[in-house]
Amino acid sequence: MSKRNREGTIGRRGFLKGASVAGAALGAASPSAAQPAAAPAAKNPVPLPDIAAETLPPLADPVHQSSGGGDFMLDVLKTLNFDYVTQTPASTFRGLHEAIINYGMNKQPELLSCTHEEIAVAMAHGYAKIEGTPLPVMVQSTVGLQHASMALYNAHCDQAPIYMIAGNTVDAAKRGFSFEWAHSAIDPAAVVRDYVKWDDQPGSLQHFAESAIRAYQIAMTPPMAPVLLSLDSELQENPIANRERLRIPRLPKTAPPQGDAAAVAETAQQLVGAQNPVIVADRMARTPQGMARLIELAELLQCPVVDTGGRSNFPNRHHLCQTGRSGALIAQADLVLGLELNDFFGTLHAFSDRIVRRMRQVSRPDARTISITARQLSPRANFQDFQRYQDVDLVIAADAEETLPSLIEQVRRLAGADRRSAFEARGKKLEAAYRAMVEQWKSDATIGWDASPITIARLCAELYDQIKDDDWSMVGNGNRVTWPRRLWNFDRHYRWIGSSGGSGIGYNAPASLGAALANRKYGRLSVAIQGDGDLMFCPGTLWTAAHHQIPILYVMHNNRAWHQELMYLQAMSNRRDRGMLNAHIGTTISDPNIDFAMLAKSMGVHSEGPITDPKDLAPALRRALAVVRKGQPALVDAIVESR
Amino acid sequence: MNGPAPILAQTGMSFAAFKRQVRIPINDMPAYSERMLSDKELMDIFVFVRSLPGRRPVKDFPILNN
């Protein structure tokens, strides 16, 4: 029995009794109403059923409607070409939910079920980084939005568009008792407004139509970010009075902001004149064009590129990809160009996490610095993800990918024969250094090859050996291990999508799944290296993968710990000269060890493991990949070295 | 703390250099005092890491040349 019935507030019998009273008051006439009421049983303590009341017709309210606000809302959302909508079901958006599955026939968008709102948002986050467009995410106004908030923060930090829809019941006089009050707010977006670019709570369907288009436009204009619409439940559920007068605005074509022409010309001049320039790219390549443009610029200048991995900015097997030599290159650079570089200060400084925290400049004091970033255009104050201030010489507030064509054109115009000759000589030196670096990496990978726990290098080598001939996409790397970028060939923008942004645990598993969803229609093979700590934040992700048949291979980097925190505890214990024997307390995930293969199997996901002997890894990966290639998810639990 | 750790297998460091790094480390490695880790224990660890198999020829691992 529900709480509402136990409290006798609105039980069926009570409702019908109420209906009978109301019916009488309304003078409703019916054959049953004419029946005599049952005589009271004075000596019987148990009241007899009120047959007359039970058989009375319901209130004279309408019980069916031929239109609903949710239908119109769906008409609007369809103009935005969403393929999917993620959600955990909730009463405050039931009007829109029903419209999607019945009026819209559950197609474009198709509804996806998630066991937690954090999963729903993170899936949209990963999807956006492959597809380049947002997904709507429907959540309950208060409780659902608070569940979703961490994932939204990640998306904000990572400059990913998310189209949030929160149901709400605005009119207090119409809220049901109990939970509908707890699930209503006068300003639901307040809890996430620090990391949502724009939000609105439309007061009418026309208002909704305009705000829906506006929200999409704002989310998709660099710097991309989450937006939120709070939708009144009455507006979703009630009949539409004036459908013929409602207008759906057109979505405009939006051009991302480009750099100022004079500033771009100055940048080109600096790049051409520099002896040792370095380009540092972070969340630059939004689209395939981003990588292609950066290759063109780097090759023109024969300039080294440091790819921080915020996106797949530059192919790692290009000789100008010098990420592994970033320390030496920054130290000798006379010009550092940051492209959507979030932490310019951290790029030019070293930090020591010791008793006295020290920052030390590692770049030349006379090095020129230029930053091209759209992040300047949408600052936030409270959360400090914007990093320490760096006194850069020239800041161009614009989208870096969009600015590259004009920069390339200017560089091409300015680079005379003498400079081209110097560029060529520089390129040859960089190529030699690159070749040596790659050989060193391969040699490093052989160390501990047969060890158990399995080395990360071996795990990555074995995995790549089996996917290298597929059109693969590495959609997650929970512990940000560096071996894939040393051993694999990241030659397409979708080979890697970047990390969480806010370093909020619980991102990797669902965001990887969202990216895999986007990859599905292109026939790509999605793989994710998955931390055990991260998966335990949102294990229900595996159920969504199985339920919606999203092909993805999760390979567990199972170190049975929140190992970053374990290392912090070790450092803290030794700093206090107490030894590190107790550092595992509160930082490990053992006793009992989690059987991730069994966890996955329980949710319908093919699984292998736990695998401790490296010789068993390749066969397990082969079996799991066969399942993924057939369109299903799979998980291989490997017990791997800590870091 | 996410960067790759130095390779210790078959290390070419002298014991003196090894000990110096453990007692007064550079970068962010935690420092081990003699109270927590005696010189004798440190020597045992040093002998152990030097005994670990080190690099092997890359040509013996075709999957590293993909």
Side-chain angles (χ1 to χ4, degrees):
Chain A
M1 182 182 282
S2 75
K3 187 168 182 288
R4 295 175 85 184
N5 276 353
R6 271 189 277 115
E7 292 173 353
T9 54
I10 193 169
R12 175 175 172 269
R13 188 161 294 175
F15 170 78
L16 290 172
K17 273 187 176 177
S20 74
V21 173
L26 289 167
S30 72
S32 58
Q35 290 175 5
K43 292 180 182 176
N44 191 340
V46 180
L48 292 171
D50 188 347
I51 301 297
E54 293 280 11
T55 54
L56 279 174
L59 281 173
D61 284 343
V63 293
H64 291 107
Q65 60 191 71
S66 57
S67 67
D71 294 357
F72 174 73
M73 290 177 176
L74 184 59
D75 287 339
V76 175
L77 295 176
K78 276 182 172 293
T79 69
L80 299 174
N81 297 315
F82 295 122
D83 285 334
Y84 304 98
V85 52
T86 63
Q87 57 89 49
T88 305
S91 59
T92 52
F93 61 79
R94 65 187 186 182
L96 181 55
H97 184 155
E98 192 278 336
I100 290 170
I101 59 172
N102 286 326
Y103 174 67
M105 308 290 283
N106 200 26
K107 286 178 185 167
Q108 290 188 305
E110 175 189 348
L111 199 104
L112 302 180
S113 296
C114 303
T115 58
H116 193 294
E117 287 85 351
E118 192 168 4
I119 296 172
V121 175
M123 279 188 70
H125 185 172
Y127 181 95
K129 288 196 282 184
I130 287 288
E131 192 64 10
T133 53
L135 287 185
V137 181
M138 297 195 296
V139 298
Q140 184 81 294
S141 52
T142 55
V143 288
L145 189 53
Q146 288 179 89
H147 275 308
S149 63
M150 180 56 241
L152 269 174
Y153 181 62
N154 271 335
H156 154 78
C157 294
D158 198 25
Q159 296 172 236
I162 309 280
Y163 199 92
M164 292 297 294
I165 294 173
N168 191 26
T169 303
V170 174
D171 187 345
K174 293 184 178 173
R175 287 177 201 149
F177 306 140
S178 184
F179 69 82
E180 279 196 14
W181 277 82
H183 291 176
S184 300
I186 57 171
D187 183 11
V191 295
V192 296
R193 191 165 286 130
D194 275 323
Y195 37 92
V196 163
K197 196 174 176 185
W198 186 78
D199 66 271
D200 195 12
Q201 184 164 265
S204 69
L205 288 173
Q206 186 58 50
H207 184 172
F208 166 79
E210 293 167 18
S211 289
I213 306 299
R214 190 197 300 268
Y216 190 95
Q217 185 184 341
I218 290 171
M220 286 296 291
T221 302
M224 296 183 187
V227 292
L228 187 147
L229 292 175
S230 170
L231 301 188
D232 179 35
S233 55
E234 288 255 304
L235 204 60
Q236 298 171 54
E237 294 176 16
N238 284 352
I240 307 174
N242 54 349
R243 176 65 182 88
E244 69 285 352
R245 282 186 290 172
L246 294 174
R247 192 183 76 85
I248 302 175
R250 278 182 293 110
L251 179 67
K253 188 176 176 185
T254 308
Q258 287 189 45
D260 168 73
V264 170
E266 184 182 339
T267 302
Q269 195 170 31
Q270 297 279 344
L271 279 170
V272 169
Q275 298 303 309
N276 296 303
V278 177
I279 298 171
V280 185
D282 189 358
R283 295 190 178 91
M284 189 278 294
R286 293 182 290 100
T287 73
Q289 284 73 36
M291 180 184 272
R293 289 169 184 171
L294 187 52
I295 293 171
E296 188 176 354
L297 178 65
E299 287 183 346
L300 257 178
L301 294 159
Q302 288 298 304
C303 173
V305 174
V306 173
D307 185 350
T308 68
R311 298 288 187 273
S312 258
N313 297 300
F314 201 74
N316 65 324
R317 290 196 174 175
H318 194 294
H319 72 276
L320 293 173
C321 185
Q322 301 270 329
T323 309
R325 301 183 61 240
S326 62
L329 290 167
I330 294 292
Q332 68 176 18
D334 57 350
L335 173 65
V336 179
L337 171 63
L339 300 178
E340 301 295 347
L341 176 56
N342 192 40
D343 190 4
F344 217 124
F345 184 91
T347 303
L348 305 186
H349 294 78
F351 166 64
S352 292
D353 182 11
R354 301 174 74 132
I355 296 168
V356 178
R357 290 190 150 206
R358 288 197 174 90
M359 315 282 177
R360 178 173 54 88
Q361 185 169 346
V362 293
S363 58
R364 280 169 42 175
D366 64 339
R368 300 277 300 169
T369 46
I370 301 173
S371 176
I372 306 177
T373 177
R375 207 174 173 97
Q376 294 279 328
L377 301 170
S378 184
R380 288 288 187 277
N382 187 19
F383 290 86
Q384 301 287 298
D385 61 297
F386 42 78
Q387 309 295 327
R388 189 165 175 182
Y389 184 78
Q390 173 64 44
D391 48 348
V392 173
D393 293 308
L394 175 60
V395 176
I396 302 177
D399 180 61
E401 178 179 308
E402 201 66 15
T403 303
L404 279 180
S406 55
L407 180 59
I408 290 166
E409 188 184 326
Q410 289 290 338
V411 167
R412 203 182 291 283
R413 191 177 62 79
L414 290 170
D418 56 330
R419 293 307 296 149
R420 286 177 191 269
S421 172
F423 297 164
E424 194 178 335
R426 182 164 67 205
K428 283 183 178 162
K429 284 185 188 168
L430 289 167
E431 183 158 12
Y434 175 83
R435 302 286 169 221
M437 177 173 65
V438 169
E439 288 310 307
Q440 183 69 41
W441 285 340
K442 290 178 183 174
S443 178
D444 289 351
T446 66
I447 295 172
W449 188 258
D450 298 317
S452 177
I454 302 165
T455 66
I456 301 168
R458 174 132 188 207
L459 177 84
C460 294
E462 296 281 5
L463 177 56
Y464 187 60
D465 187 49
Q466 297 200 28
I467 64 170
K468 65 182 187 300
D469 297 325
D470 291 275
D471 189 17
W472 59 271
S473 173
M474 186 185 189
V475 288
N477 181 358
N479 294 339
R480 289 182 280 187
V481 297
T482 55
W483 279 106
R485 292 188 72 81
R486 289 189 256 178
L487 299 177
W488 302 13
N489 183 12
F490 290 82
D491 60 349
R492 301 276 190 278
H493 83 286
Y494 55 79
R495 298 290 197 217
W496 169 239
I497 63 170
S499 298
S500 64
S503 297
I505 302 179
Y507 158 90
N508 195 69
S512 299
L513 188 64
L517 175 71
N519 277 329
R520 184 169 66 179
K521 72 177 175 187
Y522 302 107
R524 295 176 191 147
L525 179 71
S526 297
V527 298
I529 295 177
Q530 176 62 46
D532 49 334
D534 181 278
L535 185 53
M536 288 309 290
F537 268 69
C538 45
T541 302
L542 297 172
W543 177 83
T544 299
H547 182 69
H548 291 291
Q549 300 184 39
I550 302 171
I552 181 172
L553 174 63
Y554 288 108
V555 180
M556 297 298 298
H557 176 184
N558 186 356
N559 55 21
R560 293 176 172 156
W562 297 281
H563 199 78
Q564 177 86 37
E565 312 312 316
L566 174 61
M567 291 191 291
Y568 282 142
L569 259 289
Q570 290 173 336
M572 198 55 54
S573 300
N574 269 25
R575 182 188 290 186
R576 292 167 179 168
D577 206 17
R578 293 167 180 161
M580 52 177 65
L581 291 179
N582 292 329
H584 67 283
I585 299 173
T587 57
T588 51
I589 312 173
S590 56
D591 191 21
N593 293 331
I594 295 167
D595 188 335
F596 285 99
M598 191 180 288
L599 175 74
K601 188 178 176 186
S602 77
M603 296 192 218
V605 173
H606 173 91
S607 60
E608 304 273 347
I611 293 167
T612 54
D613 187 335
K615 289 199 300 295
D616 297 334
L617 195 53
L621 289 170
R622 194 168 298 115
R623 290 189 294 270
L625 282 165
V627 171
V628 177
R629 290 187 183 107
K630 287 178 185 167
Q632 303 290 331
L635 179 146
V636 174
D637 183 13
I639 309 303
V640 180
E641 66 177 330
S642 302
R643 281 292 168 113
Chain B
M1 297 181 93
N2 273 322
I7 291 157
L8 294 176
Q10 297 281 313
T11 181
M13 295 172 86
S14 67
F15 179 68
F18 186 77
K19 181 177 167 181
R20 189 165 54 247
Q21 172 62 17
V22 171
R23 300 282 186 236
I24 315 166
I26 57 168
N27 297 329
D28 287 352
M29 176 179 150
Y32 289 77
S33 71
E34 195 162 351
R35 200 163 74 85
M36 291 298 124
L37 190 67
S38 69
D39 280 359
K40 167 70 174 63
E41 290 167 322
L42 198 52
M43 175 57 83
D44 290 345
I45 294 169
F46 182 68
V47 171
F48 171 72
V49 297
R50 289 192 76 160
S51 75
L52 292 171
R55 298 172 192 282
R56 291 157 66 180
V58 173
K59 64 178 174 51
D60 294 347
F61 300 89
I63 68 171
L64 289 176
N65 291 299
N66 282 315

